[in-house]
Amino acid sequence: MKARFLRFAAARSRARRASTVGLFLALFATAAQAQQGTPEQRRACTPDVYRFCAGEIPNVRAITACLRRNRSSLSEACRTVFDQAGS
């Protein structure tokens, strides 16, 4: 009886851990996706990313910082994206 209880407790613990990890991964993926912007925003800034920030790919935060540093040189479309975002 005790062995059965211990197996059940261990299975519950593994299930709880797995669901916690799953939730974390889902939230992380959503946050990362939101950080990358909409498809239209990405299309507007992709040429500027390759021109000014190619060394930062795939680090989204570093790319965003690089684009902000080069704001005066950005294409009109990409500059508009940053103006709309209030950055």
Side-chain angles (χ1 to χ4, degrees), residues 17-34:
R17 233 176 305 149
S19 65
T20 302
V21 169
L23 177 62
F24 173 76
L25 290 175
L27 290 174
F28 181 74
T30 303
Q33 190 176 29

Side-chain angles (χ1 to χ4, degrees), residues 9-52:
R12 249 179 65 179
S13 177
R14 281 192 305 271
R16 186 176 299 137
R17 233 176 305 149
S19 65
T20 302
V21 169
L23 177 62
F24 173 76
L25 290 175
L27 290 174
F28 181 74
T30 303
Q33 190 176 29
Q35 192 177 28
Q36 292 178 6
T38 66
E40 293 79 20
Q41 291 170 328
R42 289 193 304 267
R43 262 194 303 277
C45 291
T46 296
D48 293 320
V49 169
Y50 283 109
R51 188 172 20 184
F52 301 115

Side-chain angles (χ1 to χ4, degrees), residues 1 6 8 15-17 26-28 31 35 42 45 50 53 55-56 59 62-63 66 68 71 73 75 79:
M1 179 85 161
L6 290 175
F8 175 73
R16 186 176 299 137
R17 233 176 305 149
L27 290 174
F28 181 74
Q35 192 177 28
R42 289 193 304 267
C45 291
Y50 283 109
C53 311
E56 307 297 344
N59 185 336
I63 291 169
C66 173
R68 285 188 181 124
R71 189 178 195 144
S73 302
S75 65
R79 199 173 314 123

